Amino acid sequence: MSSSYELQSVELHKDVLRYVDMGDGPPVILVHGLLGSHQSWGTQLERLSQKYRVIAPDLFGHGESDKPTGDYSLSSHSATIRDLMDHLNIDSAPMVGHSLGGGIVMQLTYLFPERVDRLALVSSGGLGPEVSLLLKAATLPGSELVLPLLASDWFRKNTESALAQLGRWGLPVEPGPSMAETWRSFRSVADRSTRGAFLASTRAVVGPRGQTVSAKQHFEKFESIPSLLVWGGKDRMIPAKHADNIRREVPNSRVEIFPDAGHFPQLDEPDFFFRLLDEFLDSNRTEKSAPAAITPAAVPLQHP
């Protein structure tokens, strides 16, 4: 992805965190998922920066940030976001979390609720046990030996050929942009330090039977925070049915399913994703004192 920005950096507890900081409007913080980086947001960075100050870190263990040996729990990542906000003199902001990033921003909301204006969860972890076989397999002993093979060009090319054949046979496969980003990010586990961080982050939230960390016990804390959930209907990483869990527990939250999108709806349907998120964020300025979340009836956008 060509970019019109440069990564900034800050040293936090002797490790260097790199992040995007672009735009001059009200701040919004974007938190990527496992093996992702600021690049996982695609064109959303430039689009949002036309109206907002966009902060998009590469979490520790990911992207261009340092990959120390240590704590990769949700709480640790949440504390990193808080420390970055302190560094940037941002008291509070809307949080947008994708996949693992969704779990992180929910944990941030639980630990530091005064820092979160509103909450947008995209294909979020932490809302149900089911995850892809790949993530469950990463928690098994010996996975650190297998991952370099799975990340190899040979495996990627052969797998892509097999998936293309399945598509020609009419069987469901992950949509193009989602698949491309999955492969781009997964190839990074060929690097030993990245692989170690990936395994530590995955094993902190996933076990052989699926996700081991649930935000359900904290749902009542989200009732007073405007919330939006976005999911791809063809997500093979974390199923869209998890959105029902928060829809039942936090009935004022808004849920949008993009029927033809995969695990990265911000990439698969960038135009509609931007319009949806922009309206949700824009309402933060006009309804900041509202006690409840935005309701579906309040937003007339229709999925194309």
Side-chain angles (χ1 to χ4, degrees), residues 145-162:
L145 302 177
V146 178
L147 284 172
L149 171 63
L150 298 181
S152 68
D153 286 338
W154 176 88
F155 184 84
R156 175 180 59 85
K157 291 176 182 177
N158 282 275
T159 302
E160 286 179 343
S161 297

Side-chain angles (χ1 to χ4, degrees), residues 160-176:
E160 286 179 343
S161 297
L163 290 174
Q165 184 61 53
L166 290 177
R168 286 191 289 270
W169 291 343
L171 299 177
V173 296
E174 191 87 344

Side-chain angles (χ1 to χ4, degrees), residues 159-241:
T159 302
E160 286 179 343
S161 297
L163 290 174
Q165 184 61 53
L166 290 177
R168 286 191 289 270
W169 291 343
L171 299 177
V173 296
E174 191 87 344
S178 278
M179 180 183 291
E181 176 60 17
T182 297
W183 277 119
R184 186 198 68 78
S185 57
F186 186 67
R187 288 181 68 188
S188 66
V189 301
D191 172 72
R192 177 176 293 183
S193 59
T194 300
R195 185 162 66 250
F198 165 67
L199 290 172
S201 294
T202 303
R203 290 167 177 171
V205 293
V206 176
R209 296 185 178 181
Q211 293 190 75
T212 58
V213 177
S214 173
K216 186 173 182 180
Q217 66 268 33
H218 304 319
F219 280 173
E220 63 181 22
K221 293 183 177 291
F222 302 154
E223 291 180 356
S224 61
I225 298 177
S227 56
L228 169 71
L229 279 80
V230 180
W231 228 291
K234 295 182 178 178
D235 193 334
R236 302 288 182 257
M237 196 69 66
I238 305 175
K241 67 179 182 179

Side-chain angles (χ1 to χ4, degrees), residues 28-221:
V28 56
I29 297 176
L30 310 182
V31 184
H32 65 76
L34 269 171
L35 290 179
S37 69
H38 67 280
Q39 295 185 53
S40 301
W41 298 104
T43 60
Q44 305 303 326
L45 298 175
E46 285 88 352
R47 293 184 182 201
L48 289 167
S49 69
Q50 300 303 308
K51 290 180 62 174
Y52 307 96
R53 180 186 180 186
V54 178
I55 311 298
D58 284 1
L59 296 169
F60 282 128
H62 298 73
E64 299 299 320
S65 291
D66 283 355
K67 300 166 180 65
T69 301
D71 185 3
Y72 283 98
S73 66
L74 294 180
S75 294
S76 180
H77 285 306
S78 300
T80 296
I81 301 299
R82 178 206 57 190
D83 292 344
L84 178 60
M85 294 175 72
D86 288 344
H87 169 71
L88 298 174
N89 296 312
I90 298 174
D91 293 328
S92 64
M95 299 286 167
V96 185
H98 173 256
S99 196
L100 175 72
I104 291 170
V105 298
M106 284 192 287
Q107 185 74 354
L108 181 72
T109 303
Y110 170 66
L111 294 174
F112 315 110
E114 72 282 358
R115 312 307 294 264
V116 182
D117 284 348
R118 58 182 47 211
L119 194 61
L121 305 175
V122 185
S123 306
S124 179
L127 299 176
E130 298 88 356
V131 292
S132 71
L133 180 61
L134 173 65
L135 292 181
K136 289 188 285 187
T139 69
L140 298 175
S143 59
E144 59 271 16
L145 302 177
V146 178
L147 284 172
L149 171 63
L150 298 181
S152 68
D153 286 338
W154 176 88
F155 184 84
R156 175 180 59 85
K157 291 176 182 177
N158 282 275
T159 302
E160 286 179 343
S161 297
L163 290 174
Q165 184 61 53
L166 290 177
R168 286 191 289 270
W169 291 343
L171 299 177
V173 296
E174 191 87 344
S178 278
M179 180 183 291
E181 176 60 17
T182 297
W183 277 119
R184 186 198 68 78
S185 57
F186 186 67
R187 288 181 68 188
S188 66
V189 301
D191 172 72
R192 177 176 293 183
S193 59
T194 300
R195 185 162 66 250
F198 165 67
L199 290 172
S201 294
T202 303
R203 290 167 177 171
V205 293
V206 176
R209 296 185 178 181
Q211 293 190 75
T212 58
V213 177
S214 173
K216 186 173 182 180
Q217 66 268 33
H218 304 319
F219 280 173
E220 63 181 22
K221 293 183 177 291

